Amino acid sequence: MLTSEDKILVTGGAGYIGSHTIIELLASRSAHVVSVDSLVNSSHAVFDRIERITGKRVVNHHVDLCDRSAVEKLFAAEPDIKGVIHFAALKSVPESTNYPGRYYRNNIISLLNVLDACQTHGIPNFIFSSSCSVYGNIDVMPVTETTPLQRAESPYAYTKQVGERIVDDHVLAGAGMRAISLRYFNPAGAHGSGLNGEDPTNAPSSLVPVITRTASGRIPMMHVHGTDYPTRDGSCIRDYVHVCDIADAHILALERAGSGAMEAMHEIINLGTGKGVSVLEAIATFEEVSGRGLNYELGPRRSGDVVAVYSDTTLSERLLGWKARRDLHEMMRSAWAWEQHLATESVR
Ligand code: NAD
């Protein structure tokens, strides 16, 4: 069990999943959390929101993790780190297909620099943010961790396939580190208070923030990308999982890595609910929860998207004792509360 003595470095701590994980680390474990984030896709306001929810101020090192000497200085300035959760990455599938070089450079070099520093400083526990996009287009559902990986459908997805391999190689090279890669399905929703949620500085490409921004009028109209897929209503199917459930899983993964209970030095675990939801079903759920009709248009397929993907949950239940607790209604309710709260933040 993590305690207030344990210093955890969260890379990408100002981001969507990083900030929710920090809130959980502070609220449920009182851990000593340090963040590093270049704010390339987030803002410093996140740390005010974290403080408002938890009463605690988190230090953020404003560092680009691709800058190797800055990373070395950061780790030298933060001794005795017990574990690193590496969230920092660029994450937009469509943007990665347009700017592959930006994605390969950012996601791979930052990972290498962080792993090198972990090795140099003997950091024992490492959690890597992977993604269900590593599976590519597969026919057999639900997806288990042993499902063979297909060709990555986007440069982003390939950075995660390669990222897992890089983590594997570092562990095998005897870095003395235990690692867990968590393959998230589709994180969605916001903190139950509605005071923290997804707030990217780049245009969002995930479905739920596009839905909530359309409902609030920040986006005039949204597009459903593809209605001719071989699915029950023609739109893509995803496994939406609440961001606070994802945050809980990171804490359990850190504790598992630190407990000596691991079955291999690098474990790979899916984080999903096991339920597939289509884009049109997600829109209908939002409309029901919010009481608002969404302005959307049916459009062509988007490059890089896979048809359907949802997770088998057996391994996460067995190894982490983790099961998603919050449903799609709660994801939509909290995301909508967050969107409405953001409007009041920006007029303050
Ligand atoms: P996010 O963009 O909200 O957060 C990532 C954070 O990393 C941002 O605050 C950004 O400023 C920071 N960052 C990026 N590159 C950096 C660099 N070189 N140096 C320092 N900071 C840097 O994204 P998120 O949704 O919180 O995702 C976190 C992780 O989870 C990412 O690795 C992402 O690929 C992975 N993931 C996300 C999803 C999702 O749908 N949100 C799904 C699967 C996997």
Side-chain angles (χ1 to χ4, degrees):
M1 181 92 162
L2 290 171
T3 69
S4 55
E5 306 291 302
D6 296 322
K7 190 195 277 187
I8 307 300
L9 180 71
V10 177
T11 79
Y16 174 46
I17 307 173
S19 61
H20 286 86
T21 302
I22 289 178
I23 291 167
E24 270 318 299
L25 280 165
L26 296 174
S28 70
R29 300 293 192 274
S30 298
H32 175 181
V33 180
V34 176
S35 164
V36 50
D37 199 305
S38 65
L39 309 181
V40 64
N41 193 33
S42 49
S43 87
H44 205 263
V46 170
F47 298 102
D48 299 334
R49 296 173 191 141
I50 293 174
E51 187 172 3
R52 191 160 168 209
I53 294 169
T54 65
K56 293 173 187 158
R57 189 77 195 171
V58 170
V59 169
N60 180 58
H61 294 268
H62 191 168
V63 165
D64 181 348
L65 293 166
C66 294
D67 178 341
R68 188 172 183 164
S69 71
V71 173
E72 280 166 4
K73 277 192 203 133
L74 160 69
F75 277 76
E78 292 288 356
D80 305 321
I81 294 171
K82 172 116 186 247
V84 170
I85 310 182
H86 182 57
F87 290 107
L90 296 175
K91 65 162 180 180
S92 163
V93 165
E95 190 183 59
S96 80
T97 59
N98 293 331
Y99 305 101
R102 188 183 296 170
Y103 273 69
Y104 288 124
R105 258 191 300 279
N106 189 73
N107 293 2
I108 302 296
I109 295 173
S110 58
L111 173 63
L112 288 170
N113 287 343
V114 171
L115 282 170
D116 280 353
C118 288
Q119 195 161 1
T120 306
H121 292 270
I123 293 168
N125 306 307
F126 186 82
I127 310 298
F128 176 59
S129 287
S130 189
S131 158
C132 65
S133 63
V134 297
Y135 292 109
N137 257 319
I138 37 177
D139 299 330
V140 183
M141 294 290 148
V143 185
T144 72
E145 291 78 355
T146 52
T147 300
L149 306 188
Q150 303 300 312
R151 185 178 194 281
E153 286 289 306
S154 66
Y156 166 74
Y158 196 47
T159 68
K160 296 299 181 186
Q161 284 188 351
V162 173
E164 287 185 1
R165 172 64 197 260
I166 289 173
V167 173
D168 222 37
D169 288 342
H170 277 72
V171 166
L172 284 176
M177 189 174 72
R178 286 171 299 265
I180 299 181
S181 291
L182 297 173
R183 291 178 177 161
Y184 321 147
F185 279 61
N186 289 77
H191 190 260
S193 63
L195 298 175
N196 189 50
E198 189 160 13
D199 184 24
T201 51
N202 299 332
S205 57
S206 305
L207 179 64
V208 176
V210 170
I211 287 178
T212 54
R213 285 183 184 205
T214 306
S216 68
R218 279 207 282 165
I219 297 176
M221 184 176 61
M222 63 173 284
H223 300 271
V224 175
H225 300 289
T227 50
D228 59 348
Y229 286 105
T231 60
R232 51 187 175 261
D233 60 21
S235 64
C236 289
I237 289 186
R238 297 287 178 271
D239 183 344
Y240 297 97
V241 50
H242 198 291
V243 67
C244 294
D245 285 326
I246 297 264
D248 292 343
H250 283 79
I251 296 173
L252 296 171
L254 258 185
E255 291 179 342
R256 177 173 173 80
S259 72
M262 287 176 63
E263 292 171 4
M265 293 296 275
H266 178 201
E267 291 177 344
I268 296 182
I269 306 174
N270 287 348
L271 294 182
T273 66
K275 292 185 200 84
V277 173
S278 76
V279 173
L280 292 171
E281 289 164 350
I283 288 175
T285 304
F286 177 82
E287 290 182 327
E288 182 194 330
V289 167
S290 67
R292 295 208 167 199
L294 270 185
N295 188 17
Y296 67 90
E297 192 175 72
L298 306 180
R301 294 181 180 196
R302 180 174 68 171
S303 109
D305 278 340
V306 301
V307 180
V309 64
Y310 54 94
S311 177
D312 185 277
T313 60
T314 313
L315 199 67
S316 61
E317 284 176 38
R318 185 168 73 77
L319 298 187
L320 299 177
W322 176 89
K323 206 170 164 29
R325 292 186 290 131
R326 300 157 179 97
D327 66 8
L328 188 64
H329 282 76
E330 174 51 20
M331 291 179 227
M332 294 301 183
R333 186 206 64 76
S334 54
W336 182 226
W338 162 242
E339 176 70 19
Q340 291 169 299
H341 171 75
L342 250 188
T344 67
E345 251 191 18
S346 53
V347 293
R348 249 185 249 142

mmCIF file of all heavy atoms in Angstrom, residues 215-249:
data_model
loop_
_atom_site.group_PDB
_atom_site.id
_atom_site.type_symbol
_atom_site.label_atom_id
_atom_site.label_comp_id
_atom_site.label_asym_id
_atom_site.label_seq_id
_atom_site.Cartn_x
_atom_site.Cartn_y
_atom_site.Cartn_z
ATOM 1 N N ALA A 215 -22.583 20.282 -27.320
ATOM 2 C CA ALA A 215 -23.782 20.613 -26.534
ATOM 3 C C ALA A 215 -23.707 22.023 -25.965
ATOM 4 O O ALA A 215 -24.721 22.713 -25.852
ATOM 5 C CB ALA A 215 -23.948 19.590 -25.409
ATOM 6 N N SER A 216 -22.479 22.446 -25.601
ATOM 7 C CA SER A 216 -22.361 23.785 -24.990
ATOM 8 C C SER A 216 -22.228 24.873 -26.050
ATOM 9 O O SER A 216 -22.227 26.055 -25.721
ATOM 10 C CB SER A 216 -21.145 23.835 -24.065
ATOM 11 O OG SER A 216 -19.956 23.754 -24.843
ATOM 12 N N GLY A 217 -22.070 24.471 -27.320
ATOM 13 C CA GLY A 217 -21.966 25.453 -28.401
ATOM 14 C C GLY A 217 -20.528 25.851 -28.733
ATOM 15 O O GLY A 217 -20.291 26.647 -29.630
ATOM 16 N N ARG A 218 -19.543 25.285 -27.982
ATOM 17 C CA ARG A 218 -18.144 25.617 -28.312
ATOM 18 C C ARG A 218 -17.761 25.040 -29.674
ATOM 19 O O ARG A 218 -16.890 25.542 -30.359
ATOM 20 C CB ARG A 218 -17.191 25.058 -27.248
ATOM 21 C CG ARG A 218 -17.119 25.936 -26.023
ATOM 22 C CD ARG A 218 -15.788 25.787 -25.335
ATOM 23 N NE ARG A 218 -15.692 24.584 -24.540
ATOM 24 C CZ ARG A 218 -14.554 24.099 -24.087
ATOM 25 N NH1 ARG A 218 -13.414 24.675 -24.398
ATOM 26 N NH2 ARG A 218 -14.544 23.010 -23.348
ATOM 27 N N ILE A 219 -18.386 23.898 -30.027
ATOM 28 C CA ILE A 219 -18.249 23.353 -31.383
ATOM 29 C C ILE A 219 -19.643 23.474 -32.008
ATOM 30 O O ILE A 219 -20.623 23.011 -31.410
ATOM 31 C CB ILE A 219 -17.798 21.869 -31.352
ATOM 32 C CG1 ILE A 219 -16.421 21.725 -30.711
ATOM 33 C CG2 ILE A 219 -17.803 21.269 -32.751
ATOM 34 C CD1 ILE A 219 -15.948 20.281 -30.563
ATOM 35 N N PRO A 220 -19.764 24.112 -33.183
ATOM 36 C CA PRO A 220 -21.113 24.337 -33.720
ATOM 37 C C PRO A 220 -21.839 23.050 -34.088
ATOM 38 O O PRO A 220 -23.049 22.935 -33.876
ATOM 39 C CB PRO A 220 -20.871 25.201 -34.961
ATOM 40 C CG PRO A 220 -19.393 25.336 -35.127
ATOM 41 C CD PRO A 220 -18.698 24.734 -33.946
ATOM 42 N N MET A 221 -21.082 22.082 -34.631
ATOM 43 C CA MET A 221 -21.728 20.828 -35.040
ATOM 44 C C MET A 221 -20.689 19.715 -35.018
ATOM 45 O O MET A 221 -19.526 19.965 -35.352
ATOM 46 C CB MET A 221 -22.270 20.966 -36.461
ATOM 47 C CG MET A 221 -23.019 19.733 -36.888
ATOM 48 S SD MET A 221 -23.761 19.908 -38.502
ATOM 49 C CE MET A 221 -22.348 20.170 -39.523
ATOM 50 N N MET A 222 -21.086 18.517 -34.620
ATOM 51 C CA MET A 222 -20.113 17.410 -34.643
ATOM 52 C C MET A 222 -20.448 16.413 -35.758
ATOM 53 O O MET A 222 -21.578 16.375 -36.257
ATOM 54 C CB MET A 222 -20.064 16.701 -33.290
ATOM 55 C CG MET A 222 -21.340 16.035 -32.870
ATOM 56 S SD MET A 222 -21.127 15.063 -31.361
ATOM 57 C CE MET A 222 -20.267 13.622 -31.978
ATOM 58 N N HIS A 223 -19.417 15.660 -36.114
ATOM 59 C CA HIS A 223 -19.580 14.681 -37.192
ATOM 60 C C HIS A 223 -19.438 13.278 -36.626
ATOM 61 O O HIS A 223 -18.565 13.033 -35.798
ATOM 62 C CB HIS A 223 -18.499 14.887 -38.268
ATOM 63 C CG HIS A 223 -18.572 16.250 -38.884
ATOM 64 N ND1 HIS A 223 -19.345 16.519 -39.983
ATOM 65 C CD2 HIS A 223 -18.004 17.418 -38.514
ATOM 66 C CE1 HIS A 223 -19.240 17.800 -40.279
ATOM 67 N NE2 HIS A 223 -18.429 18.376 -39.401
ATOM 68 N N VAL A 224 -20.289 12.401 -37.070
ATOM 69 C CA VAL A 224 -20.114 10.979 -36.760
ATOM 70 C C VAL A 224 -19.274 10.425 -37.908
ATOM 71 O O VAL A 224 -19.699 10.458 -39.069
ATOM 72 C CB VAL A 224 -21.481 10.261 -36.672
ATOM 73 C CG1 VAL A 224 -21.294 8.766 -36.483
ATOM 74 C CG2 VAL A 224 -22.304 10.856 -35.532
ATOM 75 N N HIS A 225 -18.052 9.965 -37.565
ATOM 76 C CA HIS A 225 -17.121 9.560 -38.616
ATOM 77 C C HIS A 225 -17.394 8.127 -39.057
ATOM 78 O O HIS A 225 -16.844 7.182 -38.497
ATOM 79 C CB HIS A 225 -15.683 9.703 -38.129
ATOM 80 C CG HIS A 225 -15.328 11.107 -37.747
ATOM 81 N ND1 HIS A 225 -15.185 12.097 -38.680
ATOM 82 C CD2 HIS A 225 -15.113 11.681 -36.544
ATOM 83 C CE1 HIS A 225 -14.883 13.231 -38.070
ATOM 84 N NE2 HIS A 225 -14.839 13.004 -36.765
ATOM 85 N N GLY A 226 -18.253 7.976 -40.035
ATOM 86 C CA GLY A 226 -18.506 6.649 -40.599
ATOM 87 C C GLY A 226 -19.790 6.043 -40.072
ATOM 88 O O GLY A 226 -19.970 5.905 -38.859
ATOM 89 N N THR A 227 -20.708 5.727 -40.989
ATOM 90 C CA THR A 227 -21.952 5.065 -40.580
ATOM 91 C C THR A 227 -22.178 3.822 -41.444
ATOM 92 O O THR A 227 -23.285 3.288 -41.505
ATOM 93 C CB THR A 227 -23.154 6.025 -40.739
ATOM 94 O OG1 THR A 227 -23.102 6.584 -42.042
ATOM 95 C CG2 THR A 227 -23.126 7.126 -39.709
ATOM 96 N N ASP A 228 -21.086 3.393 -42.123
ATOM 97 C CA ASP A 228 -21.197 2.194 -42.961
ATOM 98 C C ASP A 228 -20.252 1.090 -42.489
ATOM 99 O O ASP A 228 -19.861 0.220 -43.246
ATOM 100 C CB ASP A 228 -20.901 2.562 -44.427
ATOM 101 C CG ASP A 228 -19.507 3.155 -44.602
ATOM 102 O OD1 ASP A 228 -18.850 3.491 -43.571
ATOM 103 O OD2 ASP A 228 -19.045 3.264 -45.753
ATOM 104 N N TYR A 229 -19.883 1.147 -41.223
ATOM 105 C CA TYR A 229 -19.058 0.073 -40.666
ATOM 106 C C TYR A 229 -19.936 -1.162 -40.423
ATOM 107 O O TYR A 229 -21.150 -1.024 -40.201
ATOM 108 C CB TYR A 229 -18.433 0.507 -39.333
ATOM 109 C CG TYR A 229 -17.287 1.488 -39.472
ATOM 110 C CD1 TYR A 229 -17.462 2.835 -39.170
ATOM 111 C CD2 TYR A 229 -16.024 1.062 -39.882
ATOM 112 C CE1 TYR A 229 -16.405 3.732 -39.276
ATOM 113 C CE2 TYR A 229 -14.973 1.957 -39.988
ATOM 114 C CZ TYR A 229 -15.170 3.280 -39.684
ATOM 115 O OH TYR A 229 -14.123 4.161 -39.791
ATOM 116 N N PRO A 230 -19.327 -2.345 -40.441
ATOM 117 C CA PRO A 230 -20.124 -3.567 -40.186
ATOM 118 C C PRO A 230 -20.424 -3.726 -38.688
ATOM 119 O O PRO A 230 -19.933 -4.635 -38.019
ATOM 120 C CB PRO A 230 -19.218 -4.688 -40.707
ATOM 121 C CG PRO A 230 -17.830 -4.130 -40.609
ATOM 122 C CD PRO A 230 -17.941 -2.642 -40.794
ATOM 123 N N THR A 231 -21.212 -2.801 -38.136
ATOM 124 C CA THR A 231 -21.601 -2.843 -36.717
ATOM 125 C C THR A 231 -23.119 -2.722 -36.640
ATOM 126 O O THR A 231 -23.764 -2.491 -37.669
ATOM 127 C CB THR A 231 -20.973 -1.667 -35.941
ATOM 128 O OG1 THR A 231 -21.446 -0.448 -36.527
ATOM 129 C CG2 THR A 231 -19.457 -1.688 -35.990
ATOM 130 N N ARG A 232 -23.704 -2.803 -35.436
ATOM 131 C CA ARG A 232 -25.177 -2.868 -35.348
ATOM 132 C C ARG A 232 -25.866 -1.614 -35.879
ATOM 133 O O ARG A 232 -26.979 -1.681 -36.379
ATOM 134 C CB ARG A 232 -25.661 -3.210 -33.939
ATOM 135 C CG ARG A 232 -25.068 -2.353 -32.837
ATOM 136 C CD ARG A 232 -25.476 -2.881 -31.451
ATOM 137 N NE ARG A 232 -24.804 -2.133 -30.409
ATOM 138 C CZ ARG A 232 -23.712 -2.535 -29.780
ATOM 139 N NH1 ARG A 232 -23.151 -3.696 -30.079
ATOM 140 N NH2 ARG A 232 -23.145 -1.782 -28.848
ATOM 141 N N ASP A 233 -25.225 -0.436 -35.794
ATOM 142 C CA ASP A 233 -25.866 0.758 -36.371
ATOM 143 C C ASP A 233 -24.970 1.462 -37.386
ATOM 144 O O ASP A 233 -25.273 2.578 -37.808
ATOM 145 C CB ASP A 233 -26.327 1.726 -35.264
ATOM 146 C CG ASP A 233 -25.162 2.216 -34.400
ATOM 147 O OD1 ASP A 233 -24.005 2.152 -34.859
ATOM 148 O OD2 ASP A 233 -25.411 2.673 -33.270
ATOM 149 N N GLY A 234 -23.857 0.831 -37.747
ATOM 150 C CA GLY A 234 -22.976 1.383 -38.784
ATOM 151 C C GLY A 234 -21.890 2.299 -38.251
ATOM 152 O O GLY A 234 -20.944 2.645 -38.972
ATOM 153 N N SER A 235 -22.008 2.721 -36.969
ATOM 154 C CA SER A 235 -20.947 3.584 -36.415
ATOM 155 C C SER A 235 -19.952 2.724 -35.629
ATOM 156 O O SER A 235 -20.236 1.577 -35.277
ATOM 157 C CB SER A 235 -21.556 4.695 -35.554
ATOM 158 O OG SER A 235 -22.214 4.174 -34.420
ATOM 159 N N CYS A 236 -18.765 3.298 -35.362
ATOM 160 C CA CYS A 236 -17.692 2.546 -34.685
ATOM 161 C C CYS A 236 -18.103 2.161 -33.267
ATOM 162 O O CYS A 236 -18.855 2.893 -32.614
ATOM 163 C CB CYS A 236 -16.453 3.417 -34.543
ATOM 164 S SG CYS A 236 -15.606 3.749 -36.054
ATOM 165 N N ILE A 237 -17.542 1.072 -32.795
ATOM 166 C CA ILE A 237 -17.832 0.605 -31.436
ATOM 167 C C ILE A 237 -16.580 0.697 -30.575
ATOM 168 O O ILE A 237 -15.493 0.277 -30.988
ATOM 169 C CB ILE A 237 -18.380 -0.828 -31.479
ATOM 170 C CG1 ILE A 237 -19.803 -0.763 -32.064
ATOM 171 C CG2 ILE A 237 -18.366 -1.471 -30.097
ATOM 172 C CD1 ILE A 237 -20.560 -2.051 -32.053
ATOM 173 N N ARG A 238 -16.752 1.286 -29.388
ATOM 174 C CA ARG A 238 -15.645 1.457 -28.455
ATOM 175 C C ARG A 238 -16.070 1.022 -27.057
ATOM 176 O O ARG A 238 -17.258 0.919 -26.762
ATOM 177 C CB ARG A 238 -15.229 2.943 -28.384
ATOM 178 C CG ARG A 238 -14.703 3.521 -29.693
ATOM 179 C CD ARG A 238 -13.316 2.996 -30.008
ATOM 180 N NE ARG A 238 -12.819 3.504 -31.281
ATOM 181 C CZ ARG A 238 -13.010 2.925 -32.468
ATOM 182 N NH1 ARG A 238 -13.714 1.807 -32.558
ATOM 183 N NH2 ARG A 238 -12.500 3.440 -33.561
ATOM 184 N N ASP A 239 -15.072 0.855 -26.204
ATOM 185 C CA ASP A 239 -15.296 0.462 -24.814
ATOM 186 C C ASP A 239 -14.943 1.678 -23.951
ATOM 187 O O ASP A 239 -13.773 1.936 -23.677
ATOM 188 C CB ASP A 239 -14.388 -0.742 -24.522
ATOM 189 C CG ASP A 239 -14.558 -1.306 -23.128
ATOM 190 O OD1 ASP A 239 -15.144 -0.619 -22.271
ATOM 191 O OD2 ASP A 239 -14.068 -2.428 -22.898
ATOM 192 N N TYR A 240 -15.972 2.453 -23.556
ATOM 193 C CA TYR A 240 -15.733 3.666 -22.769
ATOM 194 C C TYR A 240 -15.589 3.301 -21.302
ATOM 195 O O TYR A 240 -16.394 2.543 -20.766
ATOM 196 C CB TYR A 240 -16.883 4.682 -22.969
ATOM 197 C CG TYR A 240 -16.939 5.126 -24.411
ATOM 198 C CD1 TYR A 240 -17.815 4.526 -25.310
ATOM 199 C CD2 TYR A 240 -16.060 6.091 -24.891
ATOM 200 C CE1 TYR A 240 -17.841 4.891 -26.660
ATOM 201 C CE2 TYR A 240 -16.068 6.468 -26.237
ATOM 202 C CZ TYR A 240 -16.965 5.863 -27.106
ATOM 203 O OH TYR A 240 -16.963 6.217 -28.433
ATOM 204 N N VAL A 241 -14.542 3.852 -20.682
ATOM 205 C CA VAL A 241 -14.262 3.512 -19.291
ATOM 206 C C VAL A 241 -14.003 4.809 -18.532
ATOM 207 O O VAL A 241 -13.316 5.708 -19.041
ATOM 208 C CB VAL A 241 -13.106 2.473 -19.206
ATOM 209 C CG1 VAL A 241 -11.898 2.871 -19.998
ATOM 210 C CG2 VAL A 241 -12.713 2.167 -17.780
ATOM 211 N N HIS A 242 -14.598 4.933 -17.360
ATOM 212 C CA HIS A 242 -14.543 6.210 -16.635
ATOM 213 C C HIS A 242 -13.106 6.532 -16.216
ATOM 214 O O HIS A 242 -12.392 5.678 -15.703
ATOM 215 C CB HIS A 242 -15.444 6.138 -15.395
ATOM 216 C CG HIS A 242 -15.789 7.485 -14.852
ATOM 217 N ND1 HIS A 242 -14.861 8.302 -14.240
ATOM 218 C CD2 HIS A 242 -16.954 8.186 -14.853
ATOM 219 C CE1 HIS A 242 -15.443 9.437 -13.882
ATOM 220 N NE2 HIS A 242 -16.715 9.384 -14.254
ATOM 221 N N VAL A 243 -12.732 7.795 -16.398
ATOM 222 C CA VAL A 243 -11.353 8.215 -16.107
ATOM 223 C C VAL A 243 -10.996 7.986 -14.638
ATOM 224 O O VAL A 243 -9.832 7.690 -14.321
ATOM 225 C CB VAL A 243 -11.134 9.691 -16.537
ATOM 226 C CG1 VAL A 243 -11.954 10.654 -15.694
ATOM 227 C CG2 VAL A 243 -9.662 10.068 -16.533
ATOM 228 N N CYS A 244 -11.964 8.075 -13.733
ATOM 229 C CA CYS A 244 -11.636 7.849 -12.317
ATOM 230 C C CYS A 244 -11.397 6.356 -12.046
ATOM 231 O O CYS A 244 -10.607 5.991 -11.171
ATOM 232 C CB CYS A 244 -12.732 8.396 -11.407
ATOM 233 S SG CYS A 244 -12.851 10.185 -11.510
ATOM 234 N N ASP A 245 -12.070 5.491 -12.808
ATOM 235 C CA ASP A 245 -11.760 4.050 -12.714
ATOM 236 C C ASP A 245 -10.350 3.784 -13.244
ATOM 237 O O ASP A 245 -9.590 2.982 -12.681
ATOM 238 C CB ASP A 245 -12.781 3.234 -13.509
ATOM 239 C CG ASP A 245 -14.133 3.139 -12.791
ATOM 240 O OD1 ASP A 245 -14.147 3.084 -11.548
ATOM 241 O OD2 ASP A 245 -15.167 3.119 -13.477
ATOM 242 N N ILE A 246 -9.998 4.466 -14.331
ATOM 243 C CA ILE A 246 -8.637 4.318 -14.885
ATOM 244 C C ILE A 246 -7.612 4.797 -13.841
ATOM 245 O O ILE A 246 -6.574 4.159 -13.629
ATOM 246 C CB ILE A 246 -8.499 5.157 -16.184
ATOM 247 C CG1 ILE A 246 -9.451 4.641 -17.263
ATOM 248 C CG2 ILE A 246 -7.061 5.242 -16.659
ATOM 249 C CD1 ILE A 246 -8.857 3.685 -18.245
ATOM 250 N N ALA A 247 -7.922 5.912 -13.184
ATOM 251 C CA ALA A 247 -7.007 6.444 -12.163
ATOM 252 C C ALA A 247 -6.818 5.420 -11.044
ATOM 253 O O ALA A 247 -5.680 5.138 -10.628
ATOM 254 C CB ALA A 247 -7.560 7.755 -11.605
ATOM 255 N N ASP A 248 -7.915 4.832 -10.588
ATOM 256 C CA ASP A 248 -7.821 3.816 -9.517
ATOM 257 C C ASP A 248 -6.904 2.667 -9.943
ATOM 258 O O ASP A 248 -6.106 2.161 -9.152
ATOM 259 C CB ASP A 248 -9.209 3.213 -9.222
ATOM 260 C CG ASP A 248 -10.153 4.215 -8.577
ATOM 261 O OD1 ASP A 248 -9.687 5.251 -8.069
ATOM 262 O OD2 ASP A 248 -11.383 3.953 -8.600
ATOM 263 N N ALA A 249 -7.024 2.262 -11.209
ATOM 264 C CA ALA A 249 -6.225 1.124 -11.692
ATOM 265 C C ALA A 249 -4.725 1.440 -11.635
ATOM 266 O O ALA A 249 -3.908 0.548 -11.387
ATOM 267 C CB ALA A 249 -6.641 0.767 -13.118
#
